[in-house]
Amino acid sequence: MKIDLTDTTAGEINKALVQGRRAIGTPAVGMVLTLVIVTDEENAYDALKAANDASREHPSRTLVVIKRISRTPRDRTSSRLDAEVRVGAEAGTGETVILRLYGEVSQHADSVVLPLLLPDAPVVVWWPVNAPLDPAKDPLGALAQRRVTDTYTAEEPVRELTARADAYTPGDTDLSWTRITPWRSMLAAALDQVDCRVQAVEVEGEAFNPSCELLAMWLADRLDVPVRRSPSAGPGLTGVRMNTTCGPITLDRADGSLATLSIKGQPARAVALKRRDTAELIAEELRRLDPDDTYASALRYGVDRLNTVPEQEASAPTPEAASSSASDTASASPDGAQPAAAEAAKAPAKKATSSRAAKKAPSRKASAK
């Protein structure tokens, strides 16, 4: 059911929500949170579709805030609020209100949203695009317990990560971090299978994909070893290689769907590691409303501390890589496991920690995320 309201108020919108619930025969409110989506007309459809899909797991009241651009001086001085109220099948398992703000009222979106929040329920604010550099200081962000951004949509994602680290407030999170949850779980599980010291790590992925930097910073922060960041053609993250005292541990994903986990002395295994859509990412973030300390620690490690390999250099094989490749070809085992002797001998002799260091992350992050 849809109810269109033109030049309306928050009070009229609340009345329309009650009217809609009664019309479809569900007067009780069974929603667990309020999700505020701050976006533009171009990205509103995709963001709302993802939120509706996620509402099957998290029934919520979704408020979509769209600030319309005023093109004339007369329009800039006038204010108007239009709303579209959706309940029932049109809004997934919750309620949806699309708010279009015109003129001066667009500068006070928090005053419009505040009367529409569910009482005694958590608030999550999500910026699919054009997120503020300091979400906690944004008027809408100040209303929320969790603030979700996505550095992947930024014009300069790596620089955006540095700004996020400087402005981090407990409750901030990033969908670029959520995208690497399966990678972190798989790597932590792989390290639990061996009793070796990790000596060095290389993370390979698209040049402008901040998830690669976040995974590299997480590994460097948790294992306290040098981490190289190498660009590739993608899609997304394509591989992680860890040199250990027991031989290399490799997780390669060339097609964005199926990955191969190789551990010295064990047969290579195919593991599902598909790229997830936005609805799955939002649903995962809505499962927890407490601060993500692991994300904060990885973010504050700093992109500048990674050993970044230029794209031209990464595409050209080095003498060491050629030697290692020749050694691998000569001694490769039938099951596809990679020999470690040549590569481990060339690994930098720097401070390394036990693979148990991967457990420094909270247990939920090592297993569920």
Side-chain angles (χ1 to χ4, degrees):
M1 179 179 181
K2 291 184 182 179
I3 303 174
D4 289 324
L5 302 172
T6 303
D7 197 7
T8 187
T9 63
E12 293 297 323
I13 295 172
N14 270 318
K15 290 179 183 177
L17 286 169
V18 174
Q19 175 188 344
R21 286 198 299 268
R22 288 175 177 170
I24 63 174
T26 56
V29 179
M31 290 161 285
V32 298
L33 59 87
T34 302
L35 175 62
V36 181
I37 305 174
V38 187
T39 185
D40 52 23
E41 289 286 2
E42 180 182 358
N43 297 279
Y45 175 82
D46 293 333
L48 187 54
K49 184 178 184 302
N52 285 342
D53 291 342
S55 72
R56 296 188 178 95
E57 183 176 341
H58 309 279
S60 59
R61 174 176 289 179
T62 303
L63 307 177
V64 183
V65 179
I66 302 174
K67 300 179 181 180
R68 299 299 299 266
I69 300 175
S70 300
R71 302 191 179 278
T72 64
R74 182 184 304 168
D75 291 339
R76 295 189 192 103
T77 58
S78 62
S79 297
R80 193 175 92 230
L81 170 63
D82 293 345
E84 181 182 329
V85 178
R86 301 180 183 180
V87 293
E90 298 287 346
T93 59
E95 300 172 340
T96 299
V97 181
I98 302 176
L99 304 168
R100 290 182 171 86
L101 284 62
Y102 298 81
E104 292 183 354
V105 73
S106 63
Q107 305 301 319
H108 306 280
D110 54 317
S111 299
V112 176
V113 167
L114 188 60
L116 302 176
L117 301 179
L118 289 173
D120 302 322
V123 179
V124 178
V125 178
W126 171 32
W127 291 269
V129 294
N130 302 324
L133 289 180
D134 192 346
K137 291 185 178 179
D138 182 85
L140 286 172
L143 301 174
Q145 285 77 37
R146 289 282 274 178
R147 295 163 293 276
V148 184
T149 59
D150 191 356
T151 51
Y152 184 76
T153 62
E155 188 173 347
E156 298 183 31
V158 176
R159 182 175 296 181
E160 192 89 358
L161 285 177
T162 303
R164 292 274 178 266
D166 294 338
Y168 176 80
T169 301
D172 292 353
T173 192
D174 188 344
L175 292 187
S176 294
W177 170 257
T178 316
R179 290 184 180 97
I180 63 173
T181 298
W183 285 83
R184 292 186 290 119
S185 299
M186 193 64 63
L187 292 171
L191 289 174
D192 282 342
Q193 299 179 39
V194 297
D195 188 13
C196 309
R197 294 194 310 273
V198 179
Q199 298 174 312
V201 180
E202 181 177 3
V203 176
E204 186 180 81
E206 287 177 323
F208 298 101
N209 192 322
S211 294
C212 303
E213 272 74 20
L214 283 168
L215 182 61
M217 291 189 290
W218 175 72
L219 288 166
D221 179 53
R222 292 297 168 184
L223 299 175
D224 194 21
V225 296
V227 177
R228 289 163 59 91
R229 165 69 170 96
S230 302
S232 70
L237 270 161
T238 54
V240 175
R241 298 172 182 83
M242 296 185 286
N243 291 332
T244 75
T245 54
C246 301
I249 297 176
T250 305
L251 184 60
D252 275 322
R253 185 189 70 178
D255 61 357
S257 176
L258 192 66
T260 302
L261 176 64
S262 302
I263 302 176
K264 176 66 175 177
Q266 300 182 19
R269 283 163 284 182
V271 294
L273 210 60
K274 71 180 184 70
R275 304 188 75 191
R276 299 181 294 168
D277 59 24
T278 306
E280 293 180 81
L281 301 177
I282 284 295
E284 178 181 327
E285 282 302 330
L286 294 180
R287 289 182 199 130
R288 65 174 301 169
L289 299 176
D290 56 316
D292 191 340
D293 295 331
T294 308
Y295 165 68
S297 181
L299 186 65
R300 286 169 173 160
Y301 181 86
V303 179
D304 56 338
R305 295 176 64 184
L306 298 177
N307 182 10
T308 304
V309 180
E311 192 165 1
Q312 311 90 288
E313 180 182 335
S315 60
T318 61
E320 292 82 356
S323 174
S324 176
S325 175
S327 175
D328 289 350
T329 304
S331 57
S333 60
D335 59 11
Q338 299 181 8
E343 200 165 341
K346 295 182 178 63
K350 297 192 177 181
K351 180 180 178 182
T353 61
S354 169
S355 64
R356 306 293 181 186
K359 294 185 178 180
K360 289 171 62 181
S363 60
R364 186 187 174 282
K365 282 294 176 184
S367 58
K369 259 197 163 195

